[in-house]
Amino acid sequence: MEHILMVLMLIGGFGVFSQWLAWRTRMPAIVVMSIVGLIAGPVLGIMNPQEDLGELFRPLISIAVGIILFEGSLNLDYREIRGMRKPVFRIVTIGAMLAWILGSLAAHYIAGLSWAVSFVIGGILIVTGPTVILPLLRQAKLKPRAAAVLKWEGIIVDPFGALIAVFSFEFIQFLTTESVEFSAVLMFLLASLVAAIIGGLFGYMIGWSFERGAVPEFLKSPVVLVTVIMAFVIPDMIMHETGLLAVTVMGIVIANMHIASINDMRHFKENISVLLISAIFIMLTASLDRETLLSIFDPNILLFIAMMLFVIRPATIFLSTIGTNLEFREKLLVGWIAPRGIVALTVSAYFASILLDAGYEDASILTSLTFGLVFFTVVAHGFSIGWLSRKLGLSMDDKPGVIFVGSNKFSTSFAKTLQNLDIPVIVTDASSSRLTHAKQAGVPHEHEEILSEQMEYQLDMTPYDFMLSVTEYDSYNTLVSSTFKPEYGKEKLYQLPLQSDAGDTLNDVSHHISGTVLFSDDITWTTLNEKINRGFIFKKKLITKEYSYNDFLDDCDAEDVLLVMLRQSGMLDFYSPEKQTLIGEPGDLVISLAKPDVN
């Protein structure tokens, strides 16, 4: 008992450490997790989760994969792919079929596997999946069109890869084994249909009950979690691997019911999925033995991996998207990015044992072949997606962007100043009259309520790392901060300090539901806009060795307001009471709201 607890502690610790290390080093998280797992497992021998956890190993991974797949499918709202449905549909149908056939041919003729094993592994390896695609999309900050294609393909095809592998095995058994009848194949098809129906019904029941208030707020997340596990386990008991299809359908149904509490569910599931992804990668890589790692470098396996990366993947994308509106550069990116992940590893390990028991001795290399493809694609695509997307013009600007919530003289002038420094900015407001300030200043703007569900589809927030709530209403600023806190984090979510004379009585509002205070506690909305009316201007001062930060502070007037520091690295540091020790270094640019006659 104590040994199992120790292993679980190590898995969680190594997983979270990998995520933190990836954040600190700006390396792809899945690359770091794979390396940490390999070091902890086959290299140093600290643990072997498959042996240590015994019969618990596969059920834990299976349920975790189901939860991750559901969390990913919660993001599949059809409104996201307006104008892109044709290429997405082609890729997840024709593209997946081509990938299966071509991958199977490569497995047979290059890796030297039998036809039976080749068609099983060919089905497994069509998957990419949310565990690998979603972290890469967040890292690369892709533009919406390319990101939508990769995300939808990864989540939709994920369960179908496992189903194709099951179908291949059942069909091969029917062709080669006299004891297996055609009814077994029909049973598989029926079980897949039943799984989809179960997932759809569970999803509709959740949406219906939440919309009618049948479930209290504090129970919504637990109810969803338990229902996801039920939707996965029940079909999986009928036919192995159909649970993945059920949870995917369940997530898509909920996402397209547009229920009010969908964001709460997303945030809860995102937190869980980050922990589960970390744990699963550590568990799988730490469970590999040294012989499996060494066999990856077999020339046939390396040639098969190269064929999958450089020939089969690009061919399936270009062939399946003929006649669609997908641009050539988008085809190049999508044709290269296809990292394999957890589902491929778990399903291949399952079928390796099943095929070996059925007498297919060449199935012994399935784990090595699959892990080789997973590792090489994760590393190659993890390190190249950012560079390639920038070269093709399909990524957002590297500079951190800023969303200003609330259009007024101060916010639009501040946004214009940042825009002139090539920093992505946008001003949002629900009032068209207030947006006049932004229109006259020539600042990008969006006439939409930032808190509305529709805003998610009207505005792509990927380029904007910071959100500043700068309306005249303290209560609204606080509401915006509390709404977007799970997405941005308090360190990148700012709001103006409370105005004691504004009528709002929010002095007792907990700091846990508000953003970081901008500038200082006494610089309110009224103060800033009055300074603009008095002729204060936005000044930019570059800190050099000759003109130090202390020299700049000495030149400032008592009424000047220090706003933000643009670091030499390109990062933004907004002034706030919580950053009293903010110090400028040579190469940093300080922006302030200053009197025009002050040098």
Side-chain angles (χ1 to χ4, degrees):
M1 180 66 177
E2 289 79 7
H3 180 65
I4 292 178
L5 290 175
M6 176 66 72
V7 171
L8 292 175
M9 180 197 73
L10 290 174
I11 291 170
F14 284 134
V16 174
F17 170 74
S18 300
Q19 292 276 7
W20 176 84
L21 184 62
W23 170 72
R24 289 292 299 175
T25 60
R26 296 190 179 184
M27 290 178 63
I30 47 181
V31 175
V32 177
M33 289 185 288
S34 299
I35 294 173
V36 169
L38 291 175
I39 293 174
V43 176
L44 298 181
I46 297 175
M47 62 178 180
N48 186 326
Q50 187 167 6
E51 293 182 359
D52 297 331
L53 298 178
E55 294 183 357
L56 288 175
F57 182 77
R58 294 207 181 282
L60 286 176
I61 288 184
S62 295
I63 290 176
V65 170
I67 294 171
I68 294 167
L69 200 55
F70 169 76
E71 188 273 324
S73 62
L74 270 182
N75 297 303
L76 298 183
D77 193 306
Y78 293 124
R79 293 175 295 185
E80 184 185 44
I81 54 170
R82 288 171 181 165
M84 294 291 292
R85 294 190 181 185
K86 187 174 181 180
V88 168
F89 178 76
R90 291 274 199 88
I91 289 173
V92 301
T93 53
I94 298 173
M97 191 62 62
L98 286 172
W100 176 31
I101 295 171
L102 295 177
S104 301
L105 292 173
H108 178 71
Y109 288 108
I110 296 176
L113 299 176
S114 64
W115 282 114
V117 177
S118 295
F119 272 95
V120 171
I121 194 64
I124 294 171
L125 296 183
I126 71 171
V127 305
T128 51
T131 59
V132 284
I133 281 294
L134 296 183
L136 289 187
L137 296 182
R138 286 193 289 266
Q139 165 204 336
K141 297 175 71 172
L142 290 184
K143 290 184 176 178
R145 282 170 54 95
V149 172
L150 286 170
K151 182 173 74 173
W152 275 75
E153 180 203 14
I155 296 171
I156 294 294
V157 175
D158 213 43
F160 285 107
L163 291 177
I164 288 175
V166 175
F167 173 77
S168 301
F169 178 72
E170 294 292 340
F171 194 71
I172 289 164
Q173 288 283 90
F174 166 70
L175 293 178
T176 59
T177 307
E178 293 182 1
S179 60
V180 178
E181 300 178 352
F182 187 67
S183 59
V185 179
L186 292 177
M187 178 60 186
F188 159 75
L189 297 175
L190 181 61
S192 300
L193 178 62
V194 170
I197 293 173
I198 290 174
L201 287 174
F202 277 28
Y204 180 79
M205 287 167 53
I206 288 289
W208 182 88
S209 60
F210 281 15
E211 281 293 86
R212 283 156 180 77
V215 180
E217 287 295 326
F218 75 95
L219 273 182
K220 284 185 176 179
S221 292
V223 166
V224 171
L225 182 60
V226 171
T227 307
V228 170
I229 296 174
M230 290 172 60
F232 176 83
V233 172
I234 294 173
D236 219 54
M237 292 173 64
I238 300 172
M239 176 69 70
H240 200 64
E241 304 302 337
T242 56
L244 296 176
L245 176 62
V247 295
T248 302
V249 173
M250 178 181 171
I252 293 175
V253 169
I254 294 175
N256 289 277
M257 290 180 71
H258 309 139
I259 61 177
S261 53
I262 185 72
N263 285 329
D264 295 334
M265 277 192 281
R266 282 200 192 116
H267 295 318
F268 175 70
K269 293 295 175 296
E270 283 171 1
N271 293 334
I272 289 182
S273 66
V274 167
L275 182 60
L276 293 179
I277 288 171
S278 307
I280 293 175
F281 260 97
I282 296 296
M283 289 171 67
L284 290 174
T285 52
S287 297
L288 296 171
D289 53 51
R290 295 181 182 179
E291 291 73 19
T292 299
L293 291 179
L294 293 175
S295 64
I296 292 172
F297 298 98
D298 181 277
N300 289 339
I301 291 181
L302 291 177
L303 185 58
F304 171 77
I305 292 171
M307 181 67 67
M308 293 290 287
L309 264 69
F310 298 106
V311 178
I312 293 175
R313 172 62 179 183
T316 58
I317 296 301
F318 275 88
L319 290 174
S320 63
T321 55
I322 292 174
T324 68
N325 63 346
L326 205 63
E327 297 177 6
F328 179 76
R329 57 181 183 152
E330 292 171 333
K331 292 181 182 180
L332 281 177
L333 181 69
V334 176
W336 168 243
I337 302 300
R340 275 61 169 191
I342 291 170
V343 172
L345 278 174
T346 54
V347 177
S348 68
Y350 166 76
F351 275 104
S353 59
I354 295 295
L355 288 166
L356 284 170
D357 291 342
Y360 298 99
E361 296 182 1
D362 53 334
S364 59
I365 70 166
L366 283 190
T367 302
S368 302
L369 186 147
T370 306
F371 180 75
L373 185 63
V374 168
F375 187 77
F376 281 110
T377 54
V378 162
V379 172
H381 299 152
F383 281 109
S384 65
I385 186 171
W387 174 85
L388 182 60
S389 60
R390 287 191 295 271
K391 287 292 183 182
L392 295 174
L394 294 175
S395 69
M396 303 295 183
D397 198 308
D398 282 341
K399 293 184 178 179
V402 183
I403 295 180
F404 289 85
V405 180
S407 178
N408 50 67
K409 291 181 179 180
F410 167 74
S411 64
T412 54
S413 300
F414 192 10
K416 185 65 177 180
T417 303
L418 295 177
Q419 183 186 23
N420 291 337
L421 294 170
D422 295 326
I423 294 172
V425 296
I426 193 166
V427 176
T428 71
D429 205 302
S431 169
S432 58
S433 60
R434 286 194 294 263
L435 275 176
T436 304
H437 299 293
K439 295 174 184 176
Q440 291 175 345
V443 174
H445 54 275
E446 185 70 40
H447 179 209
E448 191 69 54
E449 170 56 62
I450 190 72
L451 297 175
S452 71
E453 181 188 357
Q454 191 64 26
M455 188 66 174
E456 184 178 349
Y457 305 99
Q458 291 288 106
L459 174 65
D460 176 29
M461 295 187 179
T462 306
Y464 309 108
D465 300 81
F466 296 90
M467 178 177 286
L468 275 57
S469 297
V470 288
T471 75
E472 60 185 303
Y473 304 107
D474 294 334
S475 54
Y476 184 79
N477 292 337
T478 301
L479 180 59
V480 170
S481 296
S482 63
T483 300
F484 286 94
K485 194 172 183 178
E487 184 173 344
Y488 280 87
K490 188 175 181 179
E491 67 278 2
K492 292 188 177 181
L493 197 65
Y494 292 84
Q495 69 178 81
L496 290 176
L498 303 181
Q499 305 177 88
S500 58
D501 59 345
D504 289 335
T505 55
L506 297 175
N507 292 321
D508 295 329
V509 172
S510 170
H511 291 294
H512 296 294
I513 66 169
S514 61
T516 303
V517 173
L518 270 171
F519 316 136
S520 69
D521 290 321
D522 58 344
I523 304 297
T524 63
W525 182 93
T526 302
T527 305
L528 291 168
N529 283 280
E530 282 182 351
K531 289 180 183 293
I532 295 292
N533 291 332
R534 289 169 52 196
F536 277 58
I537 61 173
F538 289 84
K539 282 197 170 182
K540 302 183 285 291
K541 285 292 184 179
L542 182 65
I543 306 302
T544 64
K545 291 182 179 179
E546 295 75 22
Y547 187 76
S548 68
Y549 185 65
N550 287 331
D551 293 332
F552 163 75
L553 293 178
D554 291 338
D555 290 340
C556 288
D557 186 85
E559 288 193 81
D560 291 355
V561 181
L562 301 181
L563 303 177
V564 67
M565 189 179 295
L566 177 58
R567 298 291 188 182
Q568 189 175 16
S569 62
M571 296 303 295
L572 291 174
D573 262 336
F574 288 92
Y575 283 88
S576 73
E578 298 181 11
K579 295 182 179 179
Q580 299 291 342
T581 59
L582 203 59
I583 298 175
E585 302 290 343
D588 295 341
L589 185 73
V590 185
I591 301 175
S592 63
L593 185 61
K595 286 184 176 180
D597 57 339
V598 176
N599 294 323

